[in-house]
Amino acid sequence: MAKTLLYGTALTSLMALGLGQPVLAQDAGTLDEKKAAATQRPPIYSPYAGRNFPVRPFFGDTHLHTSFSMDAGAFGARLAPMDAYRFAKGEEVVSSTGQPAKLSRPLDFLVVADHSDNMGFFPDLFAGKPNVLADPTGHKWYDMIQSGKGADAAIEIIVAFSHGTFPKDIMYFPGTTAYRSAWQETIAAAEHHNEPGRFTAFIGYEWTSNTDGNNLHRNVVYRDNGDKASQIEPFTVYPPYGSDNPADLWKWMEAYEAKTGGNVLAIAHNGNLSNGLMFPVVETFGKKLDRDYVETRARWERLYETTQTKGTGEAHPFLSPNDEFATFEIWDKGNLDGSVAKKKEMLEFEYARAAYKNGLKLEKELGTNPYKFGLVGSSDAHNGLSALEEDNFFGKTVPQEPSPRRMMEPFVNNPQTGVKIMDWEVSASGYAAVWANENTRESLWDAMERKETYASTGPRMIVRFFGGWDFQPADAENRMPGAIGYEKGVPMGGDLRDAPAGKSPTFLVAALKDPIGANLDRYQIVKGWMDKDGKLQEKVYDVAWSGDRTPAADGALPPVGDTVDAPNATWTNTIGAPELIAVWKDPDFDASLPAFYYGRVIEIPTPRWTAYDAKRFGVKALPDTTMKLQERAYTSPIWYTPKP
């Protein structure tokens, strides 16, 4: 039976849900019973003495754009990297539309990930630099921006870049003085705002493969300081200095580490706008998947951005028809610019759960699982503001900053294909949560590398997920379940191997509500596996929930209820629970079959940003506008691998 515990002790208990000492590793750890036993020590009075493991998650954004990104600048962004870090640290800033903006609470870390192609181009375009105005297309875009048609110019710039028609004479290539200056200024902003122990300003950029409008972007995050990051300029897409093939990005990453002795990792962009290209299983870029591809991808792409402003990419109802929560904030109409409408056969290769399942099959065929990634959320906001709270959402781009009209306009509208996405469909999502020992570049990056992370659609709920062979129901009664979790198992991002005879995996799960957010509805475990016939399967289990609800005969848990008053954009915490904790044992385990498990924590219903806008501006939303939602978090999986 699921358990809910008293809120009075919840914070201290979840803070003590500790993990092992962070190290630079390929994953969060593989359970070794002998090593686990060796970590036990004689009883001492203080349960905290000698503790050396993460006691809290750090929340941040790994994907934010400023005016240094050519599309963000064209859309009207005027905030530079320095401003973005100030805002993330809790300072009040003035947005590009002249509105004061401030977070409810500072973030713990931020990656300013401006597009590497043409980095720094737009500030020069906006300023009317002679080298830009000398080109007819550059002059045209400048005139459009000056006449108030910046959004139209932005679309033209994105389409030109996506389809290879961007004028070469005004392209800011690596090696040019203008490009080098922009990269050095990006590094300088991160160095200036990095405060070890208080706030981490990562150096990073976004590699923007977008051929034919199919989004294969990756965010590159440095563990390093500016002395190493400045030695090699970012990798780009446009030839001859770059490539749109992810395999070439991985070569650049390897070359960077070899030259500098530094460390980088790549986070794949939410794949829902890739039109079936993000998670290939047969071939990619005209080459059949082979051992080198799967090994290289698994090495460099440690994390996947499963939720952001352009929708959530965990699951899709077409792929998971039995999952009642698979319809959350999905974008499934086309690719990035709407130039190609979505086909159902593309969906399998865009969503995280399907990739996890296909990864099991690829591992059997090629020896390595290329889709053994952890999960994070981030914003992909293009206005310099990581403002993702539903009641404080500053939009994805500058035209979508708060205004009475922002819910009424189209975000993508391609008349040739009929693909249309409205601004109200943009999500106030998300953040990355990282379990690390301390708030430093090194500690946070190492946790990302070992996948000890989870994705949030916005709330800062605290989530734990441990897997092992010996968890007992009594472990959920202990007020320091983290110590038990690490002693008996592995955390999110870890591995279970070679099941002991007669044992099924057990999981210790715990979640604590955001202190200023909504209560929790339920904690679910999503399982995927490959059966004896090689077919891929999945199932969602409710393992902890609020209240005295009883599952129906078919196992379905009744809804938690709904207190949302959408017209007034209010809700109450009179339903749900502040904390959920339980031990769950897989009832359908077969030790001979590879599998993965990840946690999904769901809040009670609350108003969506559209409801807050309608109330504050006194406007009526368009028909079919979503006005409420159930925010959630997704943990990195724990994988089970049987004996060969």
Side-chain angles (χ1 to χ4, degrees), residues 395-416:
K396 176 176 174 57
T397 67
V398 170
Q400 294 159 330
E401 290 190 358
S403 75
R405 289 290 308 168
R406 72 166 168 172
M407 289 194 295
M408 316 300 178
E409 305 296 335
F411 178 71
V412 174
N413 188 13
N414 193 315
Q416 283 73 38

Side-chain angles (χ1 to χ4, degrees), residues 32-115:
D32 185 312
E33 294 190 25
K34 291 182 179 179
K35 290 182 179 179
T39 64
Q40 298 190 40
R41 57 189 177 184
I44 56 177
Y45 181 79
S46 174
Y48 314 111
R51 183 176 63 186
N52 186 25
F53 48 69
V55 296
R56 55 163 288 194
F58 295 94
F59 289 91
D61 187 349
T62 63
H63 189 178
L64 182 69
H65 296 272
T66 73
S67 61
F68 278 37
S69 289
M70 61 176 181
D71 55 348
F75 275 121
R78 299 295 174 261
L79 301 185
M82 280 285 193
D83 304 305
Y85 286 120
R86 287 176 48 228
F87 180 77
K89 293 169 81 170
E91 293 186 35
E92 183 174 310
V93 303
V94 176
S95 78
S96 298
T97 53
Q99 303 181 67
K102 186 175 183 178
L103 290 170
S104 65
R105 297 155 288 177
L107 295 177
D108 299 306
F109 66 89
L110 175 66
V111 184
V112 169
D114 281 313
H115 297 297

